[in-house]
């Protein structure tokens, strides 16, 4: 007789096969055991912990938007060297070249010298040629600009009677208004030839700041003695006027061309220059705040103050330092401006620039004009990032060229056309 | 600045020859810099009464050295040490001037005490003594045939 087996009421028709014999071997370890990643500690008193903290900070800065990036980079205040673009120090341009990793190339880039070569060729051609030496500018427009410049010069030196200014304020009184009128007049008259200029922003006495670190030293004394400290620098510059544009200027030379350039190496500490250290807010500023659409730089105009005027230098038998001063001024001011522009785009020490940033400057003391072009190829200047960085920044510059001889009987004598041409070319620079 | 001249010069009237000679009573000491200085900088110890302009004129007029810039500082001499009577002993203060030369000139402080090659003359007593000492030292050295292994163990 069939014993009643204990089966369920609803007996399934198809039983799962061989429930007891589980197929053990085929259930491979498909899922890896999930261990957390092995990283050094974050809070231990060890070198690897410090490295991890630095790495995490770098990742944090990389991941944040631009305002936060700037805030995080300039957060901590420490003792830093204050770099003055207009300095009395001797051989300042060599020192500044080392601090900013810039190579100096005498003369202007090919863009501007091509026009000069054209002049040499065209002088033989008949004078009825419609185009002048500057491409894009007609003869009449050039004559207009000439008359504008002579008007501006006469206004300050002939028509307006000025009293003898106070001690060391001569440049500010005589040449300051001249330069301001010159810049604004040139910008307005060239606005119809350069499509960037109608949308540009002309700043008067703006502020340009930049903060960076380059090189390191061993702290000699104190509770931190023996440890490595990066040397920090800050530039606080006040150019006389500057023009900021909405689009970026094209590069003067390809990035790879800067690999062969020579930058002077100075192994001594910066305070032997002499340069002094202070601790205050670290600022990075182009001349306007971040949301401004005109965030790329075009041209800066600087005024040589009385203290560094060439007559005074000649009285102190330091005439050779005049050119040095101009070069140092151009270098520091343009480096600060282009560096700040790059920072505004989100490039910083650990994220190097992908395209070169370009700006121009004109430094004058009323009679003599010097023209400088700067190309920023790298912002990675600190010790860790500079180890394998072949890029260098480039500075092109001229010697000082005389604009006019003197003012006599309501006429400007000896107006130099090549200088006017260079000025116009600088302002006409567009992508 | 004090001009002390022991002579009495004759009274000067317009047209007379200029007879007065002013010689400064100051003396500069050129020193080797303690910390490394740039190649165009020379370091001097100067009397306390001199100023930067005085240093510049001194070097330019007396020694015809083209001077670019001068920076001075006063070094405090320590007053901490005490003698056998527990009195404080003051080391004198002095003024240091860092002079940057013009016209691209450079200056390095010369080596005043160069290393002399101390080989004694042939056939002299010193040479025999040196040779004897060298032989003695050579006897103390271990046997080179053992290849650096010590002689503590072994035969």
């Amino acid at each position: 007789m069939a014993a009643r087996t204990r089966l369920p009421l609803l007996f399934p028709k198809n039983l799962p096969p061989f429930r007891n014999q589980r197929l053990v071997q085929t259930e491979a370890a498909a899922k890896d055991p999930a261990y957390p990643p092995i990283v050094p500690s974050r809070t231990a008193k060890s070198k690897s912990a410090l490295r991890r903290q630095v790495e995490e900070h770098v990742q944090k800065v990389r991941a944040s938007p631009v305002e936060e990036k700037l805030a995080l980079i300039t957060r901590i205040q420490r003792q830093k060297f204050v770099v003055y673009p207009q300095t009395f120090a001797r051989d300042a341009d060599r020192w500044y070249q080392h601090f900013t990793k810039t190579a100096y190339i005498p003369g202007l880039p090919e863009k501007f010298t091509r026009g000069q070569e054209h002049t040499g060729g065209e002088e033989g051609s008949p004078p009825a040629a419609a185009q002048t030496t500057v491409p894009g500018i007609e003869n009449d427009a050039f004559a207009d600009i000439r008359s504008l410049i002579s008007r501006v010069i006469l206004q300050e030196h002939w028509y307006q009677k000025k009293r003898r200014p106070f001690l060391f304020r001569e440049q500010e009184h005589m040449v300051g208004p001249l330069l301001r009128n010159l810049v604004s007049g040139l910008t307005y008259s060239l606005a119809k030839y350069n499509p960037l200029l109608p949308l540009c922003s002309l700043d008067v006495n703006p502020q340009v700041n930049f903060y960076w670190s380059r090189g390191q030293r061993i702290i000699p004394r104190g509770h931190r003695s023996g440890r490595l400290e990066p040397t920090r620098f800050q530039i606080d510059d006040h150019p006389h006027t500057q023009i900021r544009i909405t689009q970026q200027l094209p590069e003067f030379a390809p990035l790879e061309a800067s690999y062969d350039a020579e930058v002077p190496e100075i192994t001594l500490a910066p305070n032997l220059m002499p340069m002094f250290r202070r601790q205050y807010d670290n600022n990075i500023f182009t001349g306007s705040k971040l949301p401004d659409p005109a965030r790329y730089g075009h041209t800066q105009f600087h005024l040589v103050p009385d203290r560094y005027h060439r007559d005074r230098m000649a009285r102190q038998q330091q005439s050779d330092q005049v050119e040095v001063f101009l070069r140092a001024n151009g270098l520091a001011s343009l480096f600060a401006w282009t560096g700040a522009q790059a920072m505004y785009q989100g490039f910083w020490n650990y994220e190097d620039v992908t395209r070169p940033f370009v700006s121009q400057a004109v430094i004058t003391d009323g009679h003599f004009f010097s023209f400088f072009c700067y190309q920023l190829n790298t912002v990675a200047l600190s010790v860790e990032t500079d180890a394998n960085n072949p890029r260098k920044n480039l500075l092109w510059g001229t010697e000082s060229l005389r604009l006019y001889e003197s003012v006599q009987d309501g006429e400007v004598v000896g107006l130099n056309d090549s200088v006017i041409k260079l000025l116009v070319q600088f302002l006409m620079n567009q992508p | 600045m004090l001009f002390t001249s022991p002579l009495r010069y004759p009274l000067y009237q317009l047209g007379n020859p200029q007879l007065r000679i002013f010689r400064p009573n100051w003396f500069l000491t050129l020193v080797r810099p303690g910390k490394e200085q740039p190649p165009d900088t020379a370091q001097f110890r100067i009397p306390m009464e001199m100023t930067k302009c005085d240093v510049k004129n001194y070097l330019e007029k007396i020694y015809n050295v083209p001077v670019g810039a001068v920076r001075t500082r006063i070094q405090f001499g320590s007053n901490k040490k005490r003698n056998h009577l527990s009195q404080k002993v003051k080391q004198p203060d002095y003024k240091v001037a860092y002079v940057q030369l013009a016209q691209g000139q450079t200056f390095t402080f010369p080596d005043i005490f160069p290393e002399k090659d101390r080989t004694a003359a042939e056939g002299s007593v010193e040479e025999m003594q040196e040779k004897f000492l060298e032989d003695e030292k050579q006897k103390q050295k271990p046997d080179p045939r053992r290849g650096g292994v010590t002689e503590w163990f072994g035969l």
Side-chain angles (χ1 to χ4, degrees):
Chain A
M1 70 193 158
R4 194 184 77 93
T5 49
R6 272 193 286 167
L7 292 169
L9 280 173
L10 290 172
F11 191 72
K13 288 229 165 102
N14 303 318
L15 279 171
F18 302 116
R19 242 183 324 174
N20 290 333
Q21 294 171 15
R22 250 184 230 139
L23 303 160
V24 182
Q25 268 79 36
T26 54
E27 207 181 275
K31 221 171 57 167
D32 283 325
Y35 296 124
I38 302 173
V39 283
S41 145
R42 196 189 292 131
T43 49
K45 198 183 164 190
S46 67
K47 290 185 201 165
S48 47
L50 194 60
R51 251 184 284 134
R52 189 182 164 195
Q53 281 172 20
V54 167
E55 191 53 48
E56 287 196 346
H57 181 75
V58 169
Q59 299 300 332
K60 185 172 159 200
V61 178
R62 260 188 224 251
S64 30
V66 183
E67 297 96 1
E68 278 187 38
K69 259 193 205 166
L70 289 178
L72 282 170
I73 293 169
T74 55
R75 188 173 70 96
I76 303 180
Q77 280 189 19
R78 290 262 187 264
Q79 288 266 326
K80 58 192 176 180
F81 284 103
V82 183
V83 175
Y84 289 98
Q86 299 184 325
T87 175
F88 55 83
R90 297 184 65 84
D91 286 340
D93 63 338
R94 280 195 75 235
W95 289 86
Y96 286 3
Q97 277 183 303
H98 171 66
F99 298 146
T100 59
K101 204 179 178 193
T102 317
Y104 173 69
I105 304 169
L108 285 177
E110 292 141 10
K111 205 179 200 179
F112 300 110
T113 44
R114 238 179 288 139
Q116 305 252 334
E117 279 158 26
H118 258 285
T119 334
E122 267 185 33
E123 269 172 17
S125 68
Q131 225 201 30
T132 38
T133 49
V134 182
I137 303 277
E138 299 289 332
N139 251 335
D140 307 328
F142 198 73
D144 281 337
I145 290 171
R146 270 200 76 165
S147 61
L148 160 80
I149 293 182
S150 42
R151 242 194 350 259
V152 161
I153 295 173
L154 285 173
Q155 169 70 20
E156 294 306 319
H157 289 272
W158 182 258
Y159 294 124
Q160 199 166 12
K161 296 280 185 279
K162 293 187 180 168
R163 296 164 110 188
R164 246 200 89 139
F166 192 64
L167 186 68
F168 269 10
R169 295 270 184 111
E170 272 196 24
Q171 291 288 97
E172 212 182 285
H173 277 219
M174 304 295 200
V175 188
L178 187 152
L179 192 59
R180 239 177 291 135
N181 291 339
L182 186 73
V183 171
S184 41
L186 273 174
T187 323
Y188 295 144
S189 45
L190 289 172
K192 45 180 173 304
Y193 299 106
N194 189 350
L196 287 177
L197 289 183
L199 299 166
C200 78
S201 163
L202 178 69
D203 307 327
V204 173
N205 199 20
Q207 211 187 30
V208 173
N209 303 327
F210 191 55
Y211 171 76
W212 80 103
S213 65
R214 170 128 168 107
Q216 60 188 0
R217 66 160 190 156
I218 299 177
I219 304 177
R221 278 204 64 180
H223 67 281
R224 297 188 65 211
S225 56
R227 283 166 236 214
L228 290 167
E229 187 201 25
T231 22
R232 294 164 286 263
F233 298 91
Q234 166 91 36
I235 296 184
D236 298 317
D237 186 26
H238 295 266
H240 187 262
T241 22
Q242 71 182 18
I243 300 175
R244 274 176 300 113
I245 48 178
T246 43
Q247 293 174 37
Q248 200 175 352
L249 287 173
E251 59 185 25
F252 289 126
L255 260 181
E256 291 72 31
S258 71
Y259 291 6
D260 306 319
E262 270 185 30
V263 175
E265 278 285 319
I266 300 183
T267 44
L268 302 164
N271 54 6
L272 294 172
M273 209 192 106
M275 203 149 70
F276 302 99
R277 307 207 301 170
R278 259 194 296 156
Q279 179 172 320
Y280 58 101
D281 261 333
N282 306 323
N283 292 326
I284 296 178
F285 195 63
T286 53
S288 65
K289 296 196 180 171
L290 259 173
D292 192 320
R295 49 179 71 110
Y296 296 102
H298 191 269
T299 327
Q300 267 185 347
F301 289 85
H302 291 265
L303 188 60
V304 171
D306 285 286
R307 204 172 154 194
Y308 305 105
H309 195 70
R310 52 185 65 224
D311 298 333
R312 186 165 180 268
M313 301 283 242
R315 258 182 280 143
Q316 292 172 341
Q317 277 97 43
Q318 289 191 15
S319 301
D320 52 332
Q321 294 294 312
V322 172
E323 293 298 322
V324 168
F325 161 81
L326 293 169
R327 275 201 295 268
N329 191 358
L331 205 153
S333 304
L334 283 173
F335 173 75
W337 206 25
T338 46
Q341 289 167 42
M343 292 278 217
Y344 271 26
Q345 299 305 311
F347 300 111
W348 60 296
N349 200 7
Y350 285 90
E351 280 179 61
D352 212 352
V353 291
T354 46
R355 54 189 196 276
F357 281 77
V358 152
S359 288
Q360 300 160 143
V362 178
I363 308 185
T364 172
D365 66 351
H367 284 258
F368 290 88
F369 281 70
S370 327
F371 300 87
F372 294 94
C373 303
Y374 195 87
Q375 178 166 325
L376 185 84
N377 293 325
T378 171
V379 195
L381 296 171
S382 75
V383 180
E384 306 91 19
T385 46
D386 196 34
N388 292 330
N389 190 5
R391 299 187 196 177
K392 287 152 191 128
N393 304 322
L394 298 168
L395 172 74
W396 288 267
T398 60
E399 304 278 313
S400 28
L401 309 158
R402 195 181 259 282
L403 177 64
Y404 66 98
E405 301 285 333
S406 61
V407 176
Q408 279 172 12
D409 301 329
E411 289 265 325
V412 176
V413 174
L415 199 56
N416 191 350
D417 268 347
S418 52
V419 175
I420 303 178
K421 202 196 82 169
L422 268 174
L423 267 173
V424 169
Q425 270 182 317
F426 258 46
L427 283 174
M428 285 289 293
N429 197 1
Q430 56 190 284
Chain B
M1 288 198 281
L2 302 166
F3 299 113
T4 49
S5 65
L7 328 172
R8 286 182 73 106
Y9 293 101
L11 198 64
Y12 174 78
Q13 287 169 315
L14 189 69
N16 289 5
Q18 302 207 346
L19 300 167
R20 295 183 185 225
I21 304 177
F22 298 109
R23 282 187 296 264
N25 200 17
W26 293 320
F27 307 96
L28 304 190
T29 317
L30 179 67
V31 294
R32 175 191 286 281
K35 302 202 172 132
E36 200 179 326
Q37 296 287 332
D40 64 343
T41 307
Q43 190 168 337
F44 292 90
R45 282 199 192 179
I46 60 179
M48 287 288 235
E49 296 84 21
M50 272 184 100
T51 60
K52 291 179 189 182
C53 311
D54 290 334
V55 171
K56 193 168 152 99
N57 292 333
Y58 189 100
L59 288 172
E60 279 179 343
K61 303 235 162 92
I62 303 180
Y63 290 97
N64 291 331
V65 171
V67 168
V70 182
R71 296 188 295 276
T72 56
R73 68 176 175 97
I74 299 184
Q75 177 60 52
F76 172 74
S78 96
N79 198 13
K80 201 173 198 183
K81 287 199 177 153
R82 289 174 189 264
N83 58 9
H84 63 285
L85 300 167
S86 292
Q87 296 159 343
K88 281 198 177 175
V89 175
K90 164 84 181 160
Q91 250 120 40
D93 301 331
Y94 53 91
K95 203 180 236 196
V96 180
Y98 300 91
V99 174
Q100 277 188 308
L101 305 167
Q103 289 159 27
Q105 291 189 4
T106 53
F107 176 76
T108 41
F109 197 83
D111 194 13
I112 309 176
F113 307 110
E115 286 283 325
K116 270 190 291 192
D117 199 20
R118 279 190 246 120
T119 45
E122 290 293 320
S124 67
V125 183
E126 286 88 11
E127 208 218 333
M128 285 199 304
Q129 277 176 344
E130 266 178 41
K131 222 164 148 246
F132 176 70
L133 284 169
E134 216 183 281
D135 285 336
E136 284 291 322
K137 269 194 215 156
Q138 216 273 320
K139 278 185 204 162
Q140 297 293 325
K141 283 204 184 112
D143 193 356
R145 291 172 295 182
R146 284 177 69 83
V149 178
T150 51
E151 293 172 11
W152 302 338
F153 43 86
L155 300 165

